[in-house]
Amino acid sequence: MIDFTNIGNVTCTLYGYPGVSLAGGKPVTQIGAAATRSPVTPKALVTLAPRAVANALLQIVDAGNYPTSTCGPTTADYLQIYPPNQTTPIYLSYKTQACSKPAHILTVSVVMPGAGSSS
């Protein structure tokens, strides 16, 4: 789960999907394909009071499941996350094997109210 917390002093809204990809290098750049959007839950406006939380489910497939020729294995150091309708990413430290070729190993849901749960 990816949690989004309103750290401001006024209410804000989120709508739709975050942009998520793996990233690495110096300077940090995106590795491979961005997350595919899961259409299971319809988009809805999420209103967050100060300190309120919303979440999006992120599913990650093991890059080792793909043949080397399809994946182009490499190491990622971060999750690159764009909150919905934002153009500045947040980098979350996350070291994992990634695919430099456009194999789809990430899937993300729409943003929903409340904190996520790993259970």
Side-chain angles (χ1 to χ4, degrees):
M1 287 287 182
I2 301 171
D3 283 343
F4 298 92
T5 303
N6 179 356
I7 60 172
N9 295 322
V10 296
T11 298
C12 71
T13 59
L14 296 171
Y15 180 78
Y17 295 88
V20 182
S21 59
L22 295 168
K26 292 185 185 180
V28 177
T29 56
Q30 180 175 320
I31 298 171
T36 302
R37 294 175 171 187
S38 171
V40 174
T41 305
K43 293 187 276 186
L45 187 65
V46 176
T47 301
L48 296 178
R51 293 173 295 289
V53 179
N55 76 83
L57 175 64
L58 177 64
Q59 296 172 306
I60 304 173
V61 174
D62 186 336
N65 290 347
Y66 290 89
T68 300
S69 61
T70 303
C71 176
T74 189
T75 300
D77 298 306
Y78 303 97
L79 282 172
Q80 178 177 264
I81 304 166
Y82 290 87
N85 302 310
Q86 298 295 311
T87 57
T88 302
I90 298 163
Y91 293 99
L92 179 65
S93 182
Y94 184 77
K95 192 170 192 88
T96 191
Q97 186 174 15
C99 292
S100 62
K101 295 184 178 180
H104 291 281
I105 63 172
L106 304 174
T107 304
V108 69
S109 73
V110 296
V111 173
M112 298 180 292
S117 170
S118 59
S119 56

